[in-house]
Structure formats: structure tokens, C-alpha cells
Amino acid sequence: MYEILKAEKLAEKIYLMDVHAPRVAKHCQPGQFVIVKMDDKGERIPLTICDYDREAGTITIVFQEVGASTVKMADLKQGDSFRDFVGPLGCASEFISEDLETLKKKKLVFVAGGVGAAPVYPQVKWLHEHGIDADVILGAKTESMVILEKELEAVAGNLYVTTDDGSYGRSGMVTKVLEDLVGNEGKHYDTCVAIGPMIMMKFVCLLTKKLEIPTIVSMNPIMVDGTGMCGACRLQVGDEIKFACVDGPEFDGHLVDFDQAMKRSQMYKTLEGRAMLKLQEGDTHHGGCGNCGGDN
Amino acid sequence: MANVLNKVPVREQDPKVRATNFEEVCLGYNQEEAMEEANRCLGCKNAKCVQGCPVSIDIPGFIKEVKEGNIEEAYKVIGKSSALPAICGRVCPQESQCEGKCIRGIKGESISIGKLERFVADYALEHDIKPEAADSTNGHKVAVIGSGPSGLTCAGDLAKLGYEVTVFEALHELGGVLVYGIPEFRLPKQKVVAKEIEKVKELGVKFETNVVIGKSTTIDQLIEDEGFEAVFIGSGAGLPMFMGIPGENANGVFSANEYLTRSNLMKAFDDSYDTPIAAGKKVAVVGGGNVAMDAARTALRLGAEVHIVYRRSEAELPARVEEVHHAKEEGVIFDLLTNPKEILVDENGNVKGMKVIKMELGEPDASGRRRPVEIAGSEYEMDVDTVIMSLGTSPNPLISSTTKGLEINRRKCIVADEEFGKTSKEGVYAGGDAVTGAATVILAMGAGKAGARGIDEYLKNK
């Protein structure tokens, strides 16, 4: 069992937890992820690593309620435990194995959308600890959905916060901010790292292609085992089929087929909807209302 | 009284009934039936069946005890060679091993060695007969990677010799392919697999789940930081292969590994578990091996019409005869000499059909089997909404890429000798699918035994 040492609500439907998992904490690197399983009958849920403390043996995870399982997970409190917590999975961010002096000469910009701020944070923090200050564009729908602003501010070069509705920081999508920074504010970037909803990553990549900025994205497709065994997470990247769990999760964003990836992530949407209904309706759920198509 | 030339028939669930449930197909012998079958054994002195067994079980020896009704003794005889008899009695390809060599089989049917082994092992599970553990430990620590058939066998054998063994498993359940790959209706998980693993625990073996070697830690770190003196790699088969045809990334195309993992490991067939499975209404399973049969029969039980699509003819099907027979009985349709060309996809990215072409057998290829060649102009469309690719696997690089000095061959399998499982790295042994590529449970167990012998020799002489 893997004990939850801290549980906190960061924003509407977004939660942060510190989990005791010494083996993972000892070996994880920015860019990697974990898979958690709540109980005997739960799903294996892949989550990005937001932070880690090697001495305390803890991993910080941040997740958003998106389906029945994550809604249940949000109910977990400090002192509760995950039945399973495995990792670190996937490859570390590429810059970690790059020559530090070369890396120091590069100007990096991170684009974090929504809960994507969580996997961006350890990368920017790692760079900061190695004497590199990267710029960060942090986007959210509205003010109350902005997460990890203080944490990012402490480790980023410049932090640009934007909200879709203009309720906080700049106004508009992250792509607009990036376009303004490069087009109107004289910024130059050698590399962009974009992490967030697939649709956001798609549009950032369309923009950076135009701006000729090489772009890394972190993909979060459907997974089962997370060790390369099942192939559920396969993606078209250029001419090749890649498995996000072992080849990724980070890829060259200009090569990823986002439209296909987005369709693939809809695969269980109807089934997931039914599971949500069942959870919400509890014992009164009988699958016979005609709304969900029934359980059988 | 049955004719001595024929096997005592084994009771099975009716095909029509079992096609709709996940209960075990074969019901096994009772003691009376087992003793009657045992009586057919000639008790050969120079027994050919033993030569056919990858772990050299004293087959006439245990059958003699069954004849006399000494089932506990029979279990002890098997236990000297096999740690997992309830599993092997169910999933070994006996027809090409022990039973294939049986002298009785020359004039009539061979002895039902597999069913007898299963009876003895189930009796031991029911009566809680414990395996014999070592009197004391010898203080040497050995790490075993993977809790599938090779790892469990290696761990069990080493524990019996007094070693302190820890098994590291990447998934959340123990058993490897026995739990994620082989379906419940062929190998019950709680009734059989969990109990057999319990017996390995009783030998003193420790288990740690959720440890992915190569990620959570490495072999070098196990040796340098955690004090393990030797390591056995039984990490199993790896990444599923796809055909490389158009439409293969559509929703509704699965690897057999994914489909089976969802159903077997995550229990998606049971509504009280959270993991979903898209069962499909009309399913094509591409491939002809045991895994293809397992996927087909799983889809059938989830309510689909199921077609096996295989490019050669029935004679070349790599699956066990019994599996093919069971699949046919249950209503799986075999579209043989047929090969997929393209998966047809609708505007939402879902499978709406599969274009296939008829094949004929030409000249023999490198494998000695006649090469299938396309019949020009014979393409047609199959009406399916789900396609399951069961084409084998390529080795997982997680361990080989993170272990210094571990040699792999050009197929990316770990290089290890057959007799002792010795690899190119000192103190590191390997066996099972990680070495051979996808094979059978019993071959993996044989390799686990070899690895245990190799590690014992190594540590005794160190």
C-alpha cells in the first residue's frame, strides 16, 4: 500500500496528493509518469509526476476529475492509501541527457495548459536547479482554474499567466500569448515544450511550425499496463507507430498525428459516461432509463 | 470399464453453455476416473514420456501412486520436478511432449498424463498439502525478475535449496502471463494460479509487486545497492506486433495482449471492475496461435460473433489442437487462407470493416511450411467492428537497455545458454520468453529450472 501523506484541492476538479513511494521517488526524472490503482477493482490510471522528494520518498501527483475513477480518487484523504503505485514509467525529458553547456545557450519556453502545469513544473524546476531559467506560459480557462502559479514563479525565468476569459493575467489562449511574445515582444525561443490537453498541444504545434520553433509535447493517451505490453497507447509519429509508455511520453510535436490521437482517446467515452452515471446515481442506477443505453 | 486403448474421457462444460460464461471449460477427473486412467499406464522402465517433459517429471512414478490411490505421494513425486503442476496440467501442450511420446499412443490413445497431473495437483490444493521447504536458509540473496512461469519456477527451486529469494513483478498482480494472458476459462486465477503462488510463498520466497526493473530500479542497482548476489531474468515476452496495414490505429483495433489484459488481469468482463472493454459485435482475430484462440474465445464469451483470420491452412495453425477444437465447438468461425489488406475506418475513427484477400499455399519457405501467396483478384470485405491482432511480440527493451554488459541477439532477445541460463553478465541468468521469444509455459518453467541450477552452481563456487 502507498500512503497519501497530503491531499489538497488546487482548483475546481483539480487535486494534488503527496504519496509515499520510495522506489519511484529514488529514481524518477522530469518527464516521467506513474500508474496508480486505487483498490482491487480499480483501473490502472496513468498520471504525470508533478514533484518528488528523494529523501522523504514521496511523489507529488496532480490530477483532474475526468471520469468515474478520477472522481472516486478525489475522495481519497490524507492517511488513505493507493493499492498500487508503479513507476517511474516512460522516458525522462530529453534535455536531461543533453550537454549542460549547450543547453545553457538555448532559450526555452514551456507552454502549460490546465492540469498540464503539473508535468511542466518538475522540468522547469530541474532547469532552474541547473542554472537555466526557462520562460513559462501558464494558461487556464478562468482565474479559479490557474494552478501552481506560485511554484512556477519561483523557478521560471518569466512567467506569463493567461486565462481564456481574461479574468486573470493576460487574456486569451496560450497560443495567442506565444504569438505575441515572439511576434510583438521581441522574444526568441530555440525550443518549445507544450503540455496540456491534446487540442491545445495540436494548436501550439501548428503555431510553432509556422514560427519554426522545434516543439516537444507530452502525450497522455489511453494506457493499460504502461510497460509496453499492450499497445493501447500507440500513436502515429511521422512514419512510425510509437508506444507512448515506453517510447514517450514526450515526442516531436511536429510529427505527432493529433487528430488520430484525439479520436483514439475518445475510444471508451460512451463506456466512461455510463460508469459516471452509475457512480452519480448510486443504487438508483438501473441502466433502464434509456439515457445511457443500459448496462448490458 | 473403458477400453484400454482409449483415454478415460474427461468431463467438460457443454460448448453452448460455456460459450456464454468464463467458468473453466474442462472439469477434470475425479479420483475414480483418475485411477482408472492411471491403470492404463504400462509403467515403462525407460520411460519415453519423461524425455518429452521439459522439466523431466517422473511420470510413471507419479502415475503408479495414482493407481494405488496414494494421491499425496503422487503430488510429492511431481513436486520434485515441478512447482506449478495445477497450471501445467492445464496449459502444457502434452500432445507434443509427454503424451506425444507415450508407448500406449502407438496402438491406441496415449495416457492422459496432463489430466492426471491436474487431478493430483488439484487434490493437493484442495487438501492443502504443503510443498517441502528448506530446513534453513543459506544466507545468499537472489533476485528474480518477473513472477510468470519461469520466475516462479526458478524462485521455487532456489528457495528449496535454501536461498533467500525476492521476486520483483512489474504489474500489480503476481503470475505474469498466467494472469494477464491466459483466460479464466482455461486457467482459473483464484482457484488455481493464486493458490500455486501461495505454495511458492510457503517455500519462503518474498514477492514485491509494482517494481519495473529498468525503471523503478536496475539490475546493476539490485546487485550493488541491495546486496543480491545473483539475478534471474524471467521478464517474459514484450511489445505486441502489428501488421503495418492501413487503418491499424483505428478505434476497435487491439493487440491480443491489450484485449486479454483488459479481460484477464483487469477483469473487464466482470461489471463490478472499473476497467472497460469494447467487446465488439463482430470480431476478427488475426493470427492462428494459442493467444489468438484465447482472444477469440474471450470475445465470444463477451457476446460477439468471432472469426479467426489466418493466412495459412488448418494444418499450419500453431495453436494446440485442443484449443482449436474447443474454439470450433463453441462457435468460433475459421476464415483460413485469408489475409488482411486494410482496416476500413469510418469518419469517427472507428473500425467499419476489414478488406481481406484469399491465399493459397505455394512452395515451402524457410520454416519448412508452405508459403501462403495471394490469389489475385480475390479481395473481399468482412463486416467487422473490432479487429484483434494476434501476431506475436518483440522483446521488451526495458531490461536489456538498462543493464551493463547484457548481450542480446539480433532478434533483441537476451542471450542465455540452455543448460544453465547463463548470460554474458556475471551472476545474471535468464530464461523464458525474454530469451526464446514467445513460447509455452512449460518451456519457460524448464528455463526457470535451468536458471536455478546455474545460479546454485555459481553461488556454491563463488
Side-chain angles (χ1 to χ4, degrees):
Chain A
M1 299 292 262
Y2 302 82
E3 193 184 346
I4 298 166
L5 302 175
K6 182 172 115 181
E8 194 184 317
K9 187 169 182 174
L10 290 184
E12 187 59 30
K13 295 190 174 184
I14 301 178
Y15 299 82
L16 175 147
M17 289 174 183
D18 286 348
V19 182
H20 189 241
R23 273 197 196 277
V24 189
K26 193 171 168 192
H27 293 103
C28 68
Q29 296 284 359
Q32 293 187 293
F33 65 96
V34 294
I35 283 184
V36 306
K37 189 167 178 286
M38 262 180 293
D39 49 37
D40 278 346
K41 297 191 171 182
E43 288 185 88
R44 290 172 68 92
I45 305 167
L47 296 171
T48 43
I49 294 171
C50 176
D51 204 358
Y52 47 89
D53 183 333
R54 302 210 198 279
E55 307 236 306
T58 57
I59 295 286
T60 305
I61 51 170
V62 169
F63 64 92
Q64 188 164 16
E65 288 181 0
V66 286
S69 291
T70 39
V71 169
K72 257 199 266 178
M73 205 157 92
D75 284 339
L76 294 177
K77 301 276 176 297
Q78 184 182 333
D80 291 343
S81 292
F82 286 99
R83 182 191 186 275
D84 300 284
F85 195 98
V86 61
L89 299 169
C91 301
S93 301
E94 221 173 73
F95 62 72
I96 283 169
S97 41
E98 228 175 290
D99 172 58
L100 206 57
E101 292 313 308
T102 324
L103 190 61
K104 277 181 177 166
K105 291 184 192 120
K106 279 191 186 169
K107 196 72 194 140
L108 284 96
V109 63
F110 285 80
V111 181
V115 77
V120 160
Y121 174 69
Q123 300 197 19
V124 179
K125 184 180 169 190
W126 187 96
L127 289 166
H128 179 72
E129 285 168 355
H130 289 80
I132 301 160
D133 286 327
D135 285 358
V136 178
I137 301 168
L138 175 62
K141 270 190 187 134
T142 184
E143 182 177 8
S144 63
M145 302 287 278
V146 176
I147 60 164
L148 301 172
E149 184 188 1
K150 263 205 320 246
E151 288 81 355
L152 280 166
E153 198 156 38
V155 293
N158 300 299
L159 176 67
Y160 308 98
V161 184
T162 184
T163 47
D164 295 356
D165 63 0
S167 56
Y168 185 69
R170 297 183 178 214
S171 179
M173 305 278 188
V174 287
T175 40
K176 179 170 174 286
V177 178
L178 183 60
E179 204 163 15
D180 282 346
L181 287 173
V182 175
N184 308 324
E185 297 174 43
K187 289 280 181 183
H188 166 82
Y189 295 112
D190 299 300
T191 301
C192 169
V193 179
I195 310 181
M198 279 202 213
I199 187 80
M200 179 210 93
M201 294 193 283
K202 175 185 168 175
F203 280 101
V204 169
C205 287
L206 287 174
L207 174 65
T208 56
K209 212 166 190 175
K210 203 172 71 184
L211 300 173
E212 295 178 349
I213 306 172
T215 300
I216 306 286
V217 294
S218 180
M219 301 300 284
N220 51 346
I222 291 168
M223 281 186 194
V224 186
D225 64 287
T227 64
M229 203 178 77
C230 84
C233 66
R234 64 192 188 275
L235 304 160
Q236 190 74 40
V237 182
D239 299 332
E240 292 177 284
I241 291 179
K242 295 278 190 188
F243 289 0
C245 69
V246 285
D247 300 322
E250 297 188 346
F251 294 100
D252 178 344
H254 293 162
L255 295 179
V256 170
D257 183 341
F258 283 103
D259 293 335
Q260 186 189 72
M262 281 187 278
K263 279 180 185 161
R264 286 187 62 78
S265 65
Q266 301 294 309
M267 172 84 215
Y268 295 96
K269 217 178 165 197
T270 328
L271 289 169
E272 186 55 48
R274 279 182 210 167
M276 272 292 261
L277 271 178
K278 201 167 165 182
L279 189 75
Q280 285 163 2
E281 294 174 4
D283 291 340
T284 61
H285 175 82
H286 51 75
C289 65
N291 288 335
C292 70
D295 278 347
N296 300 310
Chain B
M1 183 77 192
N3 183 333
V4 289
L5 290 181
N6 295 111
K7 289 179 176 185
V8 173
V10 69
R11 286 164 291 120
E12 288 178 349
Q13 265 203 82
D14 182 84
K16 283 204 187 74
V17 177
R18 71 178 194 240
T20 61
N21 69 43
F22 279 84
E23 304 295 317
E24 198 172 10
V25 169
C26 175
L27 303 173
Y29 285 150
N30 59 28
Q31 185 158 341
E32 193 186 334
E33 291 162 337
M35 286 171 70
E36 190 183 333
E37 178 66 13
N39 263 320
R40 296 178 58 232
C41 177
L42 299 168
C44 307
K45 276 222 177 76
N46 180 18
K48 296 269 189 255
C49 52
V50 181
Q51 295 164 19
C53 174
V55 298
S56 307
I57 292 174
D58 176 6
I59 294 166
F62 97 77
I63 292 182
K64 179 172 167 281
E65 298 296 346
V66 176
K67 261 185 210 177
E68 290 163 14
N70 301 327
I71 313 304
E72 188 164 344
E73 285 306 310
Y75 177 70
K76 284 183 185 157
V77 174
I78 297 175
K80 283 181 193 152
S81 313
S82 171
L84 312 167
I87 293 165
C88 291
R90 287 172 165 85
V91 301
C92 265
Q94 289 101 4
E95 67 276 11
S96 58
Q97 297 179 349
C98 53
E99 294 182 21
K101 303 232 171 179
C102 176
I103 300 298
R104 264 275 182 239
I106 296 173
K107 276 192 181 157
E109 288 180 344
S110 59
I111 305 294
S112 249
I113 299 168
K115 302 289 185 283
L116 287 174
E117 179 185 29
R118 171 185 158 153
F119 165 73
V120 170
D122 284 1
Y123 178 94
L125 291 180
E126 273 164 39
H127 294 79
D128 202 25
I129 299 167
K130 303 237 189 288
E132 285 170 39
D135 299 331
S136 61
T137 68
N138 62 20
H140 292 293
K141 280 176 73 179
V142 179
V144 170
I145 300 168
S147 65
S150 70
L152 286 174
T153 304
C154 185
D157 277 14
L158 286 170
K160 281 184 191 168
L161 293 168
Y163 290 94
E164 290 179 22
V165 185
T166 305
V167 178
F168 296 96
E169 167 57 47
L171 293 172
H172 59 272
E173 292 290 343
L174 298 173
V177 72
L178 306 172
V179 296
Y180 77 74
I182 303 176
E184 182 75 19
F185 54 84
R186 272 213 303 136
L187 185 61
K189 307 301 161 224
Q190 286 310 313
K191 206 180 96 194
V192 177
V193 180
K195 283 194 179 164
E196 291 269 66
I197 292 172
E198 205 49 50
K199 294 216 180 286
V200 179
K201 282 186 188 163
E202 282 165 4
L203 293 170
V205 174
K206 291 192 209 100
F207 288 89
E208 202 179 322
T209 52
N210 297 321
V211 183
V212 183
I213 302 298
K215 291 290 174 188
S216 311
T217 188
T218 63
I219 287 182
D220 292 304
Q221 284 163 340
L222 287 176
I223 295 169
E224 283 156 28
D225 303 345
E226 301 196 28
F228 289 101
E229 294 166 77
V231 178
F232 177 80
I233 306 170
S235 53
L239 287 55
M241 295 201 272
F242 290 91
M243 292 187 78
I245 58 173
E248 230 171 352
N249 285 349
N251 291 345
V253 182
F254 305 95
S255 73
N257 266 8
E258 180 185 352
Y259 199 77
L260 290 170
T261 299
R262 283 181 183 275
S263 183
N264 300 334
L265 176 72
M266 306 310 295
K267 311 240 181 289
F269 71 85
D270 179 339
D271 213 26
S272 70
Y273 286 77
D274 294 341
T275 300
I277 190 164
K281 289 194 171 65
K282 284 193 173 184
V283 176
V285 178
V286 182
N290 286 319
V291 175
M293 299 306 138
D294 285 345
R297 295 170 69 196
T298 297
L300 192 87
R301 282 161 172 76
L302 290 168
E305 174 190 307
V306 185
H307 296 250
I308 289 271
V309 177
Y310 179 60
R311 64 195 179 124
R312 301 179 196 253
S313 73
E314 176 147 1
E316 287 83 18
L317 281 171
R320 289 183 62 199
V321 176
E322 181 178 329
E323 304 308 325
V324 176
H325 170 70
H326 278 154
K328 281 187 177 169
E329 268 188 343
E330 290 164 10
V332 172
I333 301 156
F334 283 70
D335 293 334
L336 301 167
L337 290 165
T338 305
N339 205 30
K341 295 286 279 181
E342 182 184 354
I343 291 158
L344 308 168
V345 188
D346 71 14
E347 68 281 7
N348 296 318
N350 299 321
V351 174
K352 65 169 183 187
M354 182 163 78
K355 192 197 273 180
V356 295
I357 188 163
K358 295 298 282 179
M359 310 290 279
E360 61 188 352
L361 293 178
E363 294 301 308
D365 63 12
S367 73
R369 296 181 299 179
R370 292 175 66 194
R371 185 197 304 273
V373 284
E374 293 182 353
I375 301 173
S378 66
E379 287 100 339
Y380 69 100
E381 282 179 19
M382 289 178 71
D383 173 26
V384 292
D385 59 16
T386 301
V387 178
I388 300 172
M389 292 293 178
S390 181
L391 309 162
T393 57
S394 63
N396 196 321
L398 281 183
I399 288 176
S400 54
S401 66
T402 55
T403 309
K404 280 176 239 146
L406 187 67
E407 198 190 320
I408 55 174
N409 64 21
R410 88 194 139 71
R411 292 184 302 134
K412 294 182 183 155
C413 294
I414 297 169
V415 177
D417 75 27
E418 240 176 77
E419 201 182 349
F420 295 112
K422 194 171 166 14
T423 69
S424 59
K425 188 177 170 74
E426 195 192 332
V428 178
Y429 294 74
D433 285 2
V435 170
T436 57
T440 61
V441 168
I442 188 69
L443 282 173
M445 287 181 56
K449 290 193 91 64
R453 279 198 304 272
I455 288 172
D456 184 42
E457 286 296 315
Y458 169 69
L459 291 178
K460 272 199 306 211
N461 298 321
K462 199 178 161 188

